[in-house]
Amino acid sequence: MFKNLDIDLLRTFVAIADLGGFAKAGRQLHKTQSAISLQMKRLEAQSGSKLFRKAGRRQLLTESGELLLNYARRILSLNDEAAAALKPDPLQGQIRFGVTQDFADRGLASVLARFADNHPGIRLDVRVNPSCELKREIANGKLDLAVAFQERGDRGDPLGKLQLSWIVPEPFIDIDDRPLKLVLFEPPCVFRDRVINALEKASMSWRVVYTSPSLPGLLAAVEAGLGITARLSHNNSPPVAGLPKLQSVELAVYRNPQATPSPLDALEKITRAHIQNNLQDLV
């Protein structure tokens, strides 16, 4: 007798595998961890196989789980393709979407993929630029939606605060060698402001030895040993001895009030949900 596998259970199963755990899948799907666990017990009952094994506090896929994951992706893909074909998306048009480099490296691909799946009739024109430029393009009507870092006086809609940490070359240059050499973006830049304010409060002398318009250029200069900089913390980066703590930065969404609201609402909803559900993973 054939067994029917529940589509909703398979979707949760794939989310657990993609996001790396029950808790993260729960945040993505807006369900409690206990609800996720119950769903997986039901899926194991339907499939007749043990799908997860414990490894400390983590839940890893068994051999049967790995096998089902491959089928689950194909089943969901066909299901979603059929649903989209039978119910065309009423939203049409184009959105000019701007993001800061930090978000482009930490979540943009996921947002774009989800939006394209849900709204294939909307064309996205994506631009990756510094926050100050993105906000200027919003004000000038050259962008419809932007994710950028908030500064005092800005009118963006806050998404959450992110901690900064120092990035230093290996081996670390001697901080007693004053003035401290800095590698920074040109002003205006919220990261630059945080660095200089922290050093000024700590009465540490400094000078900017290198500027770059791009994040890769900035990081390359640090790696070459030209100086130090600061970016978003990564995996709870430890403090660097002798350097002051940096004030956090705030990520915000900015909208062009003249843009067509319905497509913009759809993109903002997906962007906001991704950032707020994965805020800790962005640092």
Side-chain angles (χ1 to χ4, degrees), residues 130-144:
S131 290
C132 59
E133 188 171 336
L134 295 175
K135 289 179 283 190
R136 184 165 55 247
E137 290 180 328
I138 284 285
N140 294 337
K142 295 181 179 180
L143 284 177
D144 302 311

Side-chain angles (χ1 to χ4, degrees), residues 194-227:
R194 294 292 190 270
V195 167
I196 293 175
N197 288 341
L199 294 176
E200 292 286 351
K201 287 182 179 180
S203 299
M204 298 178 68
S205 61
W206 54 271
R207 68 185 179 96
V208 178
V209 298
Y210 183 94
T211 60
S212 171
S214 72
L215 181 56
L218 213 65
L219 298 180
V222 173
E223 187 176 353
L226 298 184

Side-chain angles (χ1 to χ4, degrees), residues 164-167 183-184 191-192 194-195 215 218 222 228-232 246:
L164 298 184
S165 65
W166 294 100
I167 299 180
V183 174
L184 301 172
F191 288 76
R192 181 188 179 106
R194 294 292 190 270
V195 167
L215 181 56
L218 213 65
V222 173
I228 68 174
T229 191
R231 300 309 298 173
L232 296 181
L246 294 159

Side-chain angles (χ1 to χ4, degrees), residues 115-142:
F115 184 80
D117 285 343
N118 293 344
H119 306 287
I122 299 178
R123 193 182 78 192
L124 284 179
D125 176 12
V126 182
R127 307 177 198 178
V128 180
N129 282 321
S131 290
C132 59
E133 188 171 336
L134 295 175
K135 289 179 283 190
R136 184 165 55 247
E137 290 180 328
I138 284 285
N140 294 337
K142 295 181 179 180

